[in-house]
Amino acid sequence: MPPTAHPGASPLAGEAAHPALSRTLILLMALACGAVVANIYYAQPLVGLIGPAVGLSPETASLVVTLTQIGYGAGLILLVPLGDLLENRRLVVVTLGSTVAALLVAAVAPTASLFLAAAFLIGVTSVAVQMLVPLAAHMAPEASRGQVVGTVMSGLLLGILLARPVSSLIADSLGWRAVFGLSAVVMVGFAVLLWRVLPQRRPQRPPGGGSGYAALLGSLGRLLVCTPVLQRRTAYQTMMFAAFSLYWTAVPLLLAGAPFHLTQRGIALFALSGAAGALVAPIAGRIADQGWTRPATGFALAMAALSFFVARAGEGSIALLVLAGLLLDMGVQMNMVLGQRAIYSLGAETRSRMNAIYMAIFFLGGAAGSALAGYAFAVGGWEPVTWIGFAFPALGLLLYLTEFRGRHPA
């Protein structure tokens, strides 16, 4: 028999009821999001250690990161929409259980093929985080939904920003395999806690046929084509996340060379500076709850664009690079929460699928930003990196200005 649910964990169908959503539960969901999403990024600073240990050549070692990202993208499309079809608490916990298995395989894998398979599955199953965020939106009353989503998302951004320095520090002390083994233990803990405290949520099935898995996946394209708010918010965040990924991929390359010559540990500590950007997420949620999504969106896009002028001026100054990272992270996080608040307000029955579309597309934007960063830095150094980075939110701003031509939704 499964453990008895928390007294506040009553069944939740659609948006008909809102069980008690305590600050403790919100904090737990935020921490869980951060811990789960970190699994996607742990390997990035460890490629140089993992490759030789499992028999990957220097030319193929980057597959460790690439396959994890591909797996995450696949999970967004194939697993996250199940939140509109299956009971949510069980779906989250089963997915986390699969994450544990993949992490344990990665921790002990003796060969490249086994490790790469585990890396792919770590990416696929880490989409549990994108099952938790819509569930938090389901549980939150309409008046405070943005604030709740913002708080949970602050945990997610902290996980993204802290994963690389944390994995570097653990690997430096205990070896790279300990990173995956310790994360597996953490995932077990969160799976148990979430099973005990989350409410059950059984999605309402649409009347008639067409409610199976194939129909669910088939509806993704129609939702994107027929939902202008989703189109617009996805486009904004794709530009923002491309800029975010470009900056945080290129800045370690800058810091490793002249005039900084930072060690891996120094670069890890620099990355910690961006974590403060997560603090803006609950504020963005409150702004959205007050109906200020449109002006806040323009502010977030402008802040991200400005950050690359600061970054350009900071080519020889760590202080200015830290400031640029903070401005960029704040803008990206604010825009993400504003976007989620907007699409989550469109209806409970499509919330998981809309979240899957939103995340999957802007994740591709992040992959493009990362790819451009290395090439631009190798060809022209820091200046082209900052101009390309500026171009992404600038394009978002141009699209944003079209909102004022008519009654376009925010």
Side-chain angles (χ1 to χ4, degrees), residues 111-378:
T111 64
S113 58
L114 189 58
F115 185 88
L116 291 176
F120 176 78
L121 291 175
I122 287 171
V124 171
T125 59
S126 291
V127 298
V129 69
Q130 299 304 338
M131 300 169 182
L132 278 170
V133 178
L135 181 56
H138 285 299
M139 296 166 63
E142 174 66 23
S144 61
R145 181 168 292 139
Q147 182 179 346
V148 170
V149 170
T151 301
V152 173
M153 287 300 296
S154 67
L156 185 145
L157 183 62
L158 280 172
I160 293 174
L161 295 175
L162 296 179
R164 299 177 185 91
V166 166
S167 67
S168 295
L169 296 173
I170 292 175
D172 190 51
S173 301
L174 302 174
W176 67 267
R177 293 185 184 274
V179 175
F180 298 97
L182 290 173
S183 182
V185 174
V186 172
M187 292 301 102
V188 170
F190 275 115
V192 172
L193 284 172
L194 292 172
W195 178 261
R196 295 190 63 87
V197 303
L198 286 179
Q200 293 181 351
R201 176 184 177 265
R202 297 182 178 88
Q204 294 177 341
R205 299 290 183 91
S211 61
Y213 182 61
L216 191 77
L217 295 184
S219 69
L220 296 179
R222 291 193 301 275
L223 282 172
L224 180 60
V225 169
C226 299
T227 314
V229 172
L230 178 61
Q231 295 168 6
R232 187 171 285 274
R233 298 309 316 191
T234 300
Y236 294 157
Q237 191 59 18
T238 298
M239 295 298 101
M240 293 288 269
F241 204 63
F244 173 89
S245 297
L246 178 135
Y247 181 83
W248 287 105
T249 300
V251 77
L253 302 175
L254 176 67
L255 294 173
F260 305 109
H261 299 293
L262 293 189
T263 63
Q264 187 68 32
R265 184 180 290 267
I267 293 172
L269 292 175
F270 175 88
L272 289 172
S273 65
L279 300 177
V280 78
I283 299 172
R286 292 189 188 98
I287 290 171
D289 287 336
Q290 296 299 316
W292 291 93
T293 293
R294 178 175 283 181
T297 297
F299 180 77
L301 290 164
M303 191 180 343
L306 173 64
S307 72
F308 282 96
F309 286 104
V310 177
R312 177 70 186 89
E315 186 172 4
S317 167
I318 286 184
L320 286 178
L321 291 174
V322 168
L323 176 60
L326 278 173
L327 289 172
L328 177 61
D329 291 353
M330 289 170 65
V332 171
Q333 181 71 348
M334 177 179 289
N335 191 70
M336 182 185 292
V337 173
L338 293 170
Q340 287 180 303
R341 178 65 171 83
I343 64 175
Y344 289 167
S345 298
L346 299 177
E349 68 281 356
T350 59
R351 199 167 279 156
S352 290
R353 280 170 287 169
M354 291 208 182
N355 191 56
I357 295 166
Y358 181 67
M359 293 288 170
I361 294 177
F362 85 63
F363 186 81
L364 291 176
S370 295
L372 282 172
Y375 177 78
F377 190 84

Side-chain angles (χ1 to χ4, degrees), residues 376-400:
F377 190 84
V379 171
W382 188 240
E383 184 173 0
V385 168
T386 56
W387 280 116
I388 295 170
F390 166 77
F392 284 124
L395 287 172
L397 271 171
L398 290 176
L399 176 61
Y400 166 75

